[in-house]
Structures are given as C-alpha cells and as structure tokens.
Amino acid sequence: MNTEQQSASKNRLSQRVRRDPPVGETSTTGTAWTVEDAKELYGTERWGMGYFGVSESGNLTVNAPTTRGVQAIEFTEIMEGLQQRGLNMPVMLRLENLVDDRITELNETFARAIQEANYRGDYRGVFPIKVNQQSHVISEIARYGERFDHGLEAGSKAELLIAMSTLPSHESLIVCNGYKDAEFIDLGLQAQRIGFQIFFVVETPNEISLILERSKHWDVEPSIGVRVKLSTKIDGHWSNDSGDRSLFGLSTVQLIEIVDRLRTANMLHCLRMLHFHLGSQIPNIRNIRDGVNEACRYYIDLIAEGAPMGFFDLGGGLAVDYDGSGSTEGHSRNYDLHEYCVDILDCVATSLDRENIPHPTLITESGRWTVAPMSVLLFNILEVTDFQPHELPDPLPEGIHQSIDCLIETLNHITTRRLQENLNDAIYYRDEARKAFQDGKVSLRERAIAENICLTILHKIAAQAPEMRRPSASILSIKDQLSDIYYGNFSVFQSLPDAWAIDQIFPVMPVQRLHEEPTRHAIIGDLTCDCDGQLNKFVGNQANTSTLRLHELNDEEYCLGVFLVGAYQETLGDFHNLFGDTNVVSVRVSSEGRLQFVHELKGDSIGDVLSYVEHQPQEIYGKFRSRAEEAVEAGRITASQQQEMLQLFDESLRGYTYFES
Ligand SMILES: Cc1ncc(COP(=O)(O)O)c(C=O)c1O
C-alpha cells in the first residue's frame, strides 16, 4: 500500500468508527416496544407461576394472593418503602403471601387429587428445614401450615430443636433424617413424650441399635422409618442422590438386617414408615413414577415381613421451573403439581390394591417448590463496562506499524461473504501488534489503536453475522465477547451460591423501565474480586442465553431482581471477600392491597463479618488506635486528625459490607 492509499484508508476508517452503531444498540423489533414485549423477553409468565407481572407504567409487580383475590403491588413501591426504612441495596426480599399460597396449594392439590383418585389414605406435608432455616421463614411456614398440620423435616440436632420449638400443632409430623447420635435421638424422644408425631428415619444399620437403646432408656416406643436406596435413577443435577452409590439410605441387604434386628428385639411393630428421596429438582415425571413403583415393592414386602407400616414418605424432588421451559432439562420440569399428585397416588394405589394393602399416609418433603418463589434478591447496578471502540486519533500517526495497516485494510474490506476470513485476519494482525508491542516496536498508544480497530472489526462482523447462512462458532461467540459487563451491588457467593457452584439458572430482570426497550446485551459482575463472581446464564425466550438484555443506564438508580432464590441460597452462601448477609425484608400484602413491612433484619456489619473470621472488632480498633497514636507522637498527624480517623474506622466497623452510595 502506498502512502496515499494508506491515508485514504485511515480517513475512511475514522469515518466508519464514528458512524457505526455499536452491537446491541440497533432496534430489534422495528415496532414500538410495549410491556408485552418485556414479559415475553424476560419470560415472567413462563417462570413466574402467576406471581409476577408488569404494570402498564413498566414496573414489575408482585401478584400477591390474598383472601380477597390477587393484589398487585409494584416493586417500585416496595423499593421506596425500603429506602424510607434506611435499608440499602442489596436486599433479600421475602414475599410472605407466596409462602402461604404455596403451602395451601400443595395441601389442597393433594386433597383434591385424593378425592379424584378415590385414594383411601391422607396426605401430610413436611418442610425440610435445611432448604431455608431462617427463623422468620420457619415461623411463617409453621403458621401458614398449621391448618394443614404441615410438619417439618430435621436433618440434624439443630434443625430438630427448631422443629420442636416452632411447630404449633402436635398433629404435624416431625421427620428426623440424617445421621443420629444419642443426643439427637433423646431430643426426638422428648418431642414424642410431649405429644409430637416424630419419625426416626434409619439411614444406617448401626443407628437402629442406638434408637432401641435410647427408647428403652426413656421408656418411649419410637416410630421408625427406613430410608431405602432405590435403583431408580433420576435425570438432572441431583442424579447421584439415587442409585446404588447414593450416599444415603439402606441397601436391601441392610434393610433385611434391620428388620431381623427389630424382630429379635420384639420391636418390629415400631417400623411404620418407608422413606426414599430420589434427589432434589427431579425434572422428569417418569422418574418419579418409576421411583414410586419401585418403592411400593419395598412397602409391600415390609408388610409381608410383619411391619405395620402406614406411612410412605417420598422425600423432596418436586421441581421448580426456573427457566420456564417446561422441559426435562435440569432447570425445569415436564409436569405440574396436579400431575405430580395424581401420578403418585395412582402408582401407590395401583400397586397396593393388587396386594389388598390399605393405602398409606403419603408424605412429601417438598422444599424448593415451597419456598423458591418467596425470595427475590434486589440489587442496584453500580457501573457498566462496555466494549465499544473509542474514537481514533485523526489523522492516525505517520509510519504506523505494518500490523496496524493490515488491520485497517481488513476493516475496509469486510464483506458478508468473507466474514470468517475477516475475523481470522483481525485476530492475526491484532496478535501481531501485541507481539510487536512486547518487542518494543509498537508504542502503548499504537497498541491502543490496534485494539480499537480490532474491536471495530468485531462489531462489524457481529452486525453482519445474522446474514450468514451458517456462521461458525467463533463468529457466533463474538456477540458474547462484545457484551457489556453490568456491575451489581451483591455477591454471587453470598446470595446466589448455586449460580456459582452448580451453574443454576435463576431468572434475572430489571424491576422498572420495562416499557422501554432494553438495548444492551450484558453479563452481570458482582462486587467480589473473583472471576467466578458473575452471572452469565440467563433465561431466554427461545433457549437460555449467555447475555441478558438490559437498559442503558440513565440518572436513575437501575435495579435488577434475581427470582426464585428462596430455596437453599440463604444459608449455603459464604463470606467470600467478606461480603456478609444482605439486609432482609419480609413484606405482606393485605387483602385490601396494602403493603406491610412485617419483618426486617439488618445485614451483617463489617464488624460482624470480621468477627466470623476471628478478627475481634474491638481488638482491631485498639490496634489501629495505637498506630494512629504513634503517628501523633511522631508528628505525622495531629490529635484531631487522629480523632477523625478513629471515628471513620469505628463507623466502618458498624457499616454495611456492600457498596453504599
Ligand atoms: C431427605 C431430603 N428430603 C427433602 C429434600 C428437599 O428436596 P427439594 O428441595 O427438592 O424438595 C432433600 C434435599 O435434597 C432431602 O435430602
């Protein structure tokens, strides 16, 4: 290329860089955007179970079921209330009406299905405490569950103490799973003495001797269940909870050993429950049917062995449709609650009727289905990094490195027919420029120019890619590489641990501006200094996506909600980078549609999280005070400056661990 050609090429380049709209800013529909488009894009009606909607003014609403029908409240009203109460973002918002509704729906759907199927047994639900142990949540479950005698499942001594002290009705069941020492069993026997119906579910053969010994000691007859390892395997993430190698449950050999030990001890009449748990979040109803059919064989044969039985506990597994696809993918499920109830009842009745065995009381330990919709993590966006090319110096410097000339040449010859070649060239010459920079042949400014031109080329290729018949994976991935990063005021590790640990997809969407078309494509970064601290899998309207469409920031605070996070997330979270528990607020919507802030819990202060990792705030303060005092003595600061510093230090210890504006 001669000098003239070069400068012509540079001029064309400068014009193009300024004119072209960046990827993601082009209008996507061509027609005016409405809130219906927002519902479709974010899938509120697919994953929201009817609990979330969008108002005409573009705000997300919670559709709270009340005794006088559904009352819609805008999230902006809730956020105003949070602000008035001095509760900064991030906030874990609990919507109490939803817990009430879920427990009611679970119990009433089973009751209806029992009638429809002429099933001659009862249904009793128990909530597994491990799914959300927070005191206020368990109290609400106990309160709303009282009219159905909804019980609790405890997997440890601590959880058993919660169950014994919280359940209002003695008719509610307490199911004790997990490994049990003498103290665990003693506690359970005390609960039985005061009138609770409590089941000790035997997980290992050794437990049975201890249960029998402690029952004799207290002179209380235990109700015993046996947890069996079914060979039915489930699809989805928790497939290892079932099958021969599952960690929990008894093999058939161990089960026979237990039956024999109970018979020898003259206690076989205490064996009253069959328990199994195929796994959490079972996506395929077929697996549930198969598991129930197999479990029925165990139930029938335990009766044949002489155990009275009477209770059939299916454990958890009732799945949540996190991505709204209604499929057998791990984040979804191909059945609804009614089908779940009917299929279970049908399988049990059919199997037992053949043997003339009375229908047992059915128990489910549905955790995530009961509480997932209740909680929404709300956080504000602090900043955005985009990958837009910047304006280039005009004219470009003389004698520019050859690799940069070649990048300009590539930019000027982009055509849809040769996009792959254009991409290959852009990456090759960009890498050449980087190499030349390392060899000292390209200056920092020139390297910036090279990166900028390459970025411009990538944007152009991404814009033309939809015209290609069969774009390659490398072409398709450009869009993701160019997506924005929206930095959110939260910690993935603290508030959404499953998104990090097991790639769980949670629905994420803005809670306002839904009447405006979102023009940006983004991933979400959190506050931690960890590259895993990001959300990059989102619910899409066709398939799940690696970027989320968001609005360009304006002067107003921009808040996102992460939905269906009421199960497992709150207590599994950790203190990575010492970001602590968020503020938590429970709201209830009255039957007149009034928003009530019924419970609030301030998040951890910096002093709190420091003490969790054994740094005592007072000690830290004392050490810093001594440092500052030395500085006063050395004349580096004055005594009043020292006071200012100590005040700041003290306020920080009492402050929120998250970003405060
Ligand atoms: C024994 C037992 N019961 C119930 C549950 C709750 O399962 P889910 O939340 O899927 O209903 C679990 C969780 O894995 C469990 O291990």
Side-chain angles (χ1 to χ4, degrees):
M1 212 187 302
N2 63 32
T3 331
E4 234 170 72
Q5 279 171 323
Q6 259 193 25
S7 70
S9 157
K10 282 174 206 162
N11 286 340
R12 270 180 282 145
L13 161 75
S14 314
Q15 283 161 15
R16 281 170 189 241
V17 168
R18 274 197 297 270
R19 264 205 321 264
D20 289 340
V23 168
E25 283 191 352
T26 44
S27 168
T28 47
T29 57
T31 56
W33 179 266
T34 69
V35 292
E36 293 306 318
D37 295 315
K39 283 191 216 166
E40 176 58 22
L41 174 67
Y42 295 114
T44 35
E45 286 175 2
R46 293 187 295 272
W47 52 260
M49 305 164 212
Y51 292 135
F52 302 99
V54 180
S55 69
E56 278 311 309
S57 47
N59 293 317
L60 190 73
T61 58
V62 52
N63 301 328
T66 75
T67 48
R68 288 207 210 146
V70 171
Q71 301 284 358
I73 295 280
E74 295 192 336
F75 269 71
T76 38
E77 185 182 341
I78 299 175
M79 291 194 308
E80 262 168 41
L82 295 176
Q83 213 168 26
Q84 286 156 3
R85 287 162 181 80
L87 291 158
N88 294 333
M89 296 283 161
V91 170
M92 186 61 82
L93 174 71
R94 297 197 192 120
L95 303 158
E96 282 196 359
N97 304 60
L98 274 46
V99 191
D100 186 4
D101 191 59
R102 294 257 102 183
I103 291 180
T104 306
E105 202 182 331
L106 183 61
N107 283 282
E108 289 184 349
T109 309
F110 258 112
R112 252 196 335 272
I114 281 174
Q115 278 193 345
E116 284 164 21
N118 276 329
Y119 187 81
R120 295 181 300 281
D122 288 335
Y123 165 73
R124 303 293 284 283
V126 294
F127 176 76
I129 297 177
K130 66 166 164 251
V131 180
N132 193 323
Q133 299 110 329
Q134 303 298 317
S135 160
H136 190 70
V137 173
I138 298 294
S139 304
E140 292 307 298
I141 286 172
R143 188 159 74 92
Y144 296 127
E146 186 177 0
R147 64 196 174 106
F148 304 107
D149 296 324
H150 205 87
L152 291 169
E153 182 261 1
S156 66
K157 288 182 274 190
E159 290 181 357
L160 178 56
L161 293 181
I162 295 175
M164 289 165 68
S165 54
T166 314
L167 279 177
S169 160
H170 285 168
E171 293 305 313
S172 304
L173 303 183
I174 299 180
V175 177
C176 297
N177 289 324
Y179 294 112
K180 292 169 266 305
D181 62 9
E183 194 175 20
F184 194 154
I185 297 161
D186 286 354
L187 282 169
L189 292 169
Q190 306 319 305
Q192 189 168 330
R193 282 169 107 190
I194 62 169
F196 281 112
Q197 283 200 61
I198 181 155
F199 280 95
F200 296 102
V201 177
V202 178
E203 308 251 6
T204 65
N206 287 341
E207 258 175 24
I208 198 72
S209 316
L210 201 55
I211 293 171
L212 294 181
E213 181 207 313
R214 299 317 298 164
S215 315
K216 203 163 164 196
H217 173 84
W218 293 103
D219 195 21
V220 179
E221 280 217 328
S223 291
I224 295 175
V226 276
R227 176 165 176 177
V228 294
K229 255 185 210 183
L230 299 185
S231 51
T232 305
K233 291 278 279 177
I234 64 162
D235 305 334
H237 186 81
W238 281 271
S239 57
N240 287 341
D241 280 9
S242 52
D244 294 344
R245 291 288 300 161
S246 78
L247 289 182
F248 303 100
L250 302 160
S251 66
T252 47
V253 177
Q254 292 170 323
L255 186 58
I256 292 297
E257 186 188 334
I258 283 172
V259 169
D260 289 345
R261 272 154 86 169
L262 283 171
R263 189 181 284 118
T264 308
N266 226 0
M267 297 289 271
L268 191 54
H269 59 278
C270 296
L271 180 50
R272 301 178 59 209
M273 175 199 274
L274 180 86
H275 183 290
F276 63 99
H277 170 71
L278 290 168
S280 191
Q281 181 68 15
I282 305 173
N284 193 342
I285 190 71
R286 174 67 196 265
N287 297 156
I288 296 173
R289 268 182 173 273
D290 291 346
V292 172
N293 283 333
E294 186 185 353
C296 283
R297 285 303 317 159
Y298 281 82
Y299 188 87
I300 291 163
D301 279 17
L302 286 171
I303 288 186
E305 288 284 337
M309 304 308 284
F311 293 84
F312 188 95
D313 185 339
L314 285 88
L318 176 54
V320 171
D321 195 0
Y322 287 97
D323 63 10
S325 63
S327 70
T328 52
E329 296 299 318
H331 308 290
S332 186
R333 44 124 185 90
N334 67 351
Y335 55 94
D336 64 9
L337 177 61
H338 184 257
E339 186 177 352
Y340 175 79
C341 299
V342 168
D343 283 11
I344 291 169
L345 293 166
D346 178 51
C347 289
V348 175
T350 308
S351 296
L352 301 196
D353 286 350
R354 267 190 240 123
E355 312 287 332
N356 278 328
I357 290 176
H359 296 169
T361 298
L362 282 179
I363 300 168
T364 64
E365 303 174 359
S366 299
R368 71 174 70 233
W369 190 91
T370 311
V371 291
M374 155 194 86
S375 300
V376 182
L377 175 72
L378 292 171
F379 63 87
N380 51 328
I381 295 297
L382 301 172
E383 206 174 327
V384 177
T385 294
D386 66 29
F387 292 83
Q388 299 300 330
H390 289 210
E391 205 155 298
L392 288 165
D394 193 10
L396 289 170
E398 287 302 317
I400 207 152
H401 192 264
Q402 205 191 350
S403 58
I404 302 178
D405 269 338
C406 294
L407 278 169
I408 295 169
E409 210 25 46
T410 307
L411 175 64
N412 289 336
H413 290 93
I414 293 175
T415 66
T416 310
R417 274 181 301 110
R418 296 170 67 182
L419 284 187
Q420 185 65 52
E421 186 185 334
N422 298 146
L423 174 65
N424 299 342
D425 286 351
I427 300 301
Y428 177 79
Y429 292 122
R430 183 204 60 189
D431 290 350
E432 285 290 293
R434 285 180 180 179
K435 226 183 299 156
F437 173 71
Q438 281 177 25
D439 296 340
K441 292 181 183 142
V442 155
S443 71
L444 184 61
R445 276 185 188 281
E446 286 170 332
R447 176 166 168 181
I449 291 170
E451 303 280 354
N452 213 1
I453 301 171
C454 182
L455 207 52
T456 312
I457 296 171
L458 295 181
H459 273 273
K460 284 187 162 297
I461 295 175
Q464 291 186 28
E467 292 164 35
M468 284 178 91
R469 259 199 296 154
R470 291 188 63 180
S472 68
S474 56
I475 296 250
L476 289 173
S477 72
I478 297 175
K479 202 160 151 249
D480 290 348
Q481 289 167 32
L482 299 178
S483 65
D484 299 340
I485 304 176
Y486 275 53
Y487 289 96
N489 190 9
F490 75 111
S491 156
V492 166
F493 306 93
Q494 177 59 254
S495 299
L496 307 169
D498 280 351
W500 160 61
I502 57 168
D503 283 337
Q504 172 72 56
I505 291 188
F506 295 105
V508 187
M509 66 180 288
V511 296
Q512 72 275 70
R513 294 179 63 189
L514 296 167
H515 55 323
E516 287 174 41
E517 180 167 6
T519 53
R520 310 300 308 171
H521 293 254
I523 64 157
I524 298 166
D526 75 358
L527 284 182
T528 64
C529 316
D530 193 313
C531 56
D532 282 345
Q534 57 173 279
L535 300 178
N536 55 14
K537 289 187 190 63
F538 304 98
V539 171
N541 49 1
Q542 311 264 301
N544 295 332
T545 59
S546 47
T547 57
L548 180 69
R549 283 178 62 191
L550 293 173
H551 302 90
E552 195 148 351
L553 295 196
N554 59 20
D555 292 342
E556 283 169 32
E557 188 165 67
Y558 190 61
C559 283
L560 301 186
V562 186
F563 295 82
L564 311 183
V565 297
Y568 300 104
Q569 303 313 294
E570 290 193 47
T571 31
L572 282 181
D574 70 24
F575 293 92
H576 199 25
N577 275 133
L578 296 186
F579 288 106
D581 275 341
T582 63
N583 290 324
V584 179
V585 172
S586 295
V587 297
R588 191 182 296 148
V589 181
S590 73
S591 51
E592 295 83 35
R594 246 181 318 110
L595 179 65
Q596 301 164 329
F597 285 75
V598 285
H599 179 74
E600 62 183 62
L601 191 64
K602 284 261 178 205
D604 285 320
S605 68
I606 293 178
D608 290 335
V609 295
L610 287 173
S611 64
Y612 301 155
V613 286
E614 299 168 30
H615 295 279
Q616 291 319 316
Q618 280 316 312
E619 215 175 287
I620 291 191
Y621 180 85
K623 282 186 192 162
F624 180 70
R625 203 204 70 82
S626 308
R627 285 277 155 78
E629 193 56 46
E630 282 164 22
V632 175
E633 277 171 32
R636 287 194 294 276
I637 56 169
T638 65
S640 67
Q641 283 172 331
Q642 183 215 32
Q643 284 313 300
E644 254 171 31
M645 281 177 197
L646 290 178
Q647 195 182 340
L648 186 67
F649 199 95
D650 187 47
E651 277 167 12
S652 292
L653 284 174
R654 283 183 281 112
Y656 201 20
T657 57
Y658 292 90
F659 189 94
E660 293 178 289
S661 338

